[in-house]
Amino acid sequence: MVPMLVLSLALAPGVDVFGGAKADPLGPKAYPPVYVPAEATSGYLYQPAVDLLTVPRPPAVKYSPKAGDVLLLSDPDPLFNVLYVVARSGRPGHCALVVTMPDGRLGVLESGFSFTTWTRVTPLDYCINLYAGHVWVRQRETPLTPEQDRRLTEFAAMADGKEYNLRKFAMQLTLFRSRNPVVTRFTGKPVGPGHEYMCVQIVVEALVYAGLVDAKTSRPEATYAQDLFYDRSRNPYIDRHPPMAGRGWGGPQLWTPLPGMALRGRNRPQPPAPWPGSGGAYVINPIPNGGLQPPTPTIVGYVPAEAGPISLVEDPQQRIGFFDRPYRLLRR
């Protein structure tokens, strides 16, 4: 039991089990400068495909984000792959939710922002270009009502600044988790706003609070990002009651900042490297606010495209492992 807990804490966002300190949520590691493509500040989406292979399926279209869109994120780091196997899960392993911020701009509600142990609401153009791995988007196809939009904003405002629920995260590697198929029917139910959450839990909780998913059948604490990607689950209860299936969302669409650039985030151009896109890029650098307030991502410059044609090289495709396709194991 103890090795499992140590492993889970070691792999949790922003935790240093040897130094005992959390990553600084206001420091430069969590808020580095990023490029945002000038021609499409929210990037591009490809055709829907329930497939984790990072293959751009044309035609690419500019992403027009809306509140209620669900971002599914996968960092193919070997350490996370170890955690997935122990937890009997697979990729994608993280998710976030697009919400309307109080100032009217679109932001991302994310528990475990930038691999820290904090929940943040961050401007969408900055957050989506910051992520170190691959990104898929499940767009909200049924428009939100003004009340649903307001409740998502309200939930996000109450969650912003809270800590990641490390205790629940550690429980995912034990037999005492609500993901245990014997007990999911009775545990892991919505707890409402004002609590600490894990990454997938906060997304499902927010959708429950806005009335977009069924509060009676959803199990936010027992749901994994993979369940939201496939609308299937290894957990029999969640497989029978997938939170988002048939409730107004489209299929997963691979996201990239430029057409044809299926690169994980840490391999994409970052300031001050040249920008290969045809329309140049804005440089967004978070400006400190002082105190305990997170910095404000602010456009501080513009970088023109590098002269001449650029060949956009893709990352090697990731192998689809045994735990990465739950629908092969269960059939509804």
Side-chain angles (χ1 to χ4, degrees):
M1 179 70 70
V2 172
M4 284 188 178
L5 293 176
V6 172
L7 174 63
S8 66
L9 290 174
L11 298 181
V15 175
D16 180 359
V17 293
F18 302 104
K22 301 172 186 174
D24 180 0
L26 308 180
K29 284 188 176 182
Y31 290 89
V34 301
Y35 280 141
V36 171
E39 59 186 10
T41 57
S42 298
Y44 292 83
L45 296 179
Y46 296 89
Q47 299 309 296
V50 187
D51 190 345
L52 281 172
L53 291 178
T54 53
V55 178
R57 294 174 171 85
V61 296
K62 290 184 179 180
Y63 176 32
S64 299
K66 302 176 293 298
D69 291 353
V70 174
L71 308 183
L72 296 152
L73 311 112
S74 179
D75 183 10
D77 188 296
L79 290 177
F80 283 95
N81 290 337
V82 171
L83 178 62
Y84 295 154
V85 171
V86 176
R88 289 183 54 80
S89 179
R91 296 172 292 159
H94 187 52
C95 71
L97 180 66
V98 178
V99 299
T100 304
M101 299 194 299
D103 62 6
R105 294 179 298 161
L106 288 177
V108 175
L109 171 63
E110 180 183 6
S111 191
F113 166 78
S114 194
F115 297 93
T116 69
T117 57
W118 299 89
T119 295
R120 296 294 187 200
V121 179
T122 315
L124 173 68
D125 56 354
Y126 177 77
C127 188
I128 199 169
N129 285 282
L130 169 68
Y131 187 69
H134 296 294
V135 180
W136 288 264
V137 179
R138 291 195 64 177
Q139 294 190 88
R140 181 68 188 174
E141 295 182 339
T142 303
L144 300 185
T145 66
E147 177 63 12
Q148 290 169 337
D149 190 12
R150 184 194 67 78
R151 288 181 70 83
L152 281 185
T153 300
E154 183 177 76
F155 184 96
M158 288 187 283
D160 190 20
K162 290 189 176 296
E163 292 195 50
Y164 189 94
N165 195 325
L166 289 174
R167 183 179 66 86
K168 292 294 184 181
F169 183 89
M171 293 287 286
Q172 299 305 305
L173 301 183
T174 74
L175 295 176
F176 304 101
R177 56 180 179 165
S178 55
R179 178 78 173 187
N180 186 319
V182 177
V183 301
T184 303
R185 180 182 181 87
F186 310 101
T187 64
K189 298 179 181 180
V191 296
H195 295 269
E196 295 179 356
Y197 308 99
M198 299 178 291
C199 63
V200 184
Q201 181 186 12
I202 197 171
V203 170
V204 181
E205 288 277 2
L207 297 178
V208 168
Y209 187 76
L212 295 169
V213 303
D214 190 347
K216 292 183 178 179
T217 61
S218 64
R219 296 294 183 267
E221 190 181 305
T223 304
Y224 287 173
Q226 189 185 75
D227 304 335
L228 304 184
F229 185 91
Y230 288 103
D231 282 334
R232 288 190 174 277
S233 177
R234 284 185 182 81
N235 181 288
Y237 181 87
I238 296 175
D239 193 59
R240 292 194 302 271
H241 305 284
M244 294 171 55
R247 296 184 181 277
W249 281 275
Q253 295 177 263
L254 179 66
W255 176 91
T256 60
L258 290 172
M261 180 183 275
L263 293 173
R264 62 195 293 197
R266 64 188 56 175
N267 295 335
R268 295 196 294 265
Q270 305 292 339
W275 177 254
S278 61
Y282 299 115
V283 180
I284 293 188
N285 193 25
I287 305 300
N289 286 316
L292 297 178
Q293 294 298 314
T296 301
T298 304
I299 296 176
V300 296
Y302 172 82
V303 175
E306 188 176 75
I310 301 296
S311 176
L312 301 180
V313 180
E314 297 179 10
D315 283 331
Q317 290 185 11
Q318 298 295 314
R319 182 179 65 87
I320 302 300
F322 176 79
F323 287 100
D324 291 332
R325 283 182 172 167
Y327 61 84
R328 284 181 166 177
L329 300 180
L330 296 175
R331 298 283 181 183
R332 276 199 297 274

